[in-house]
Structure formats: C-alpha cells, structure tokens
Amino acid sequence: MAIQYFWRHPLAEQVREEGREQGLQQGLEQGRLQKQQEMTLNVMEWRGIPVPDAVRERVLACTDLDQLEVWAQRALHATDAAQLFADE
C-alpha cells in the first residue's frame, strides 16, 4: 500500500494554492495603498508645502484607496497640508 503524505494530497495542494493567491492579492492591495499614500505626500513636498507629522501619520494610516485618491487630488491644489482634510 502506497503512503500518500498529507502535503502531497490534492486537498493540501489546493489549500496551498488558495493561500498563495490570497497572499498575492493582499500584497498587491498593500502595494497600491502604499503607492497612493506616498504619492499624496510627495505631491505636497514637491510643491514646497510643509507636511506636519500629524498629516503624514494620518495619510500613512489611511487604508481606503478612494479616500487617498481624493487627498491626492486635493494635494495638487492645496496651499497648506491641512487642506487635504478640508471637507472632513
């Protein structure tokens, strides 16, 4: 009788594949968040607008891509960092 080890079992292979796919998706999402956070802060800095630590921390803590997009657009026209959060 052949021994079928658990890690070679089709169910184990399926679980590993699902884990890889989920990890990949989470990694991609995290990368998009990080890129948008950096872009928002970089636009302010490129425009010569000082970014206080409180603003930097709030942007870096945000995990909502839509909100980060709004802030990035505001960064294009803001005259100070507080204007990122003007409507809130």
Side-chain angles (χ1 to χ4, degrees):
M1 178 173 163
I3 298 174
Q4 185 164 15
Y5 295 98
F6 176 74
W7 58 85
R8 292 185 184 167
H9 191 276
L11 179 59
E13 290 177 16
Q14 178 184 352
V15 168
R16 281 193 301 272
E17 182 61 30
E18 289 172 1
R20 281 190 288 270
E21 288 175 14
Q22 183 179 16
L24 176 62
Q25 291 303 317
Q26 288 174 345
L28 290 171
E29 180 71 14
Q30 183 62 34
R32 284 190 290 269
L33 281 170
Q34 186 177 14
K35 201 61 171 161
Q36 191 66 32
Q37 293 163 341
E38 290 172 1
M39 181 56 68
T40 301
L41 296 171
N42 285 343
V43 167
M44 299 287 283
E45 291 170 358
W46 293 334
R47 295 187 59 231
I49 298 171
V51 180
D53 288 340
V55 170
R56 181 176 305 283
E57 290 170 10
R58 186 168 174 186
V59 170
L60 293 176
C62 184
T63 58
D64 181 351
L65 276 172
D66 292 332
Q67 182 64 64
L68 288 166
E69 178 69 25
V70 169
W71 290 346
Q73 290 175 6
R74 288 180 186 167
L76 293 171
H77 305 287
T79 56
D80 68 63
Q83 289 180 341
L84 289 182
F85 318 121
D87 295 339
E88 299 168 18

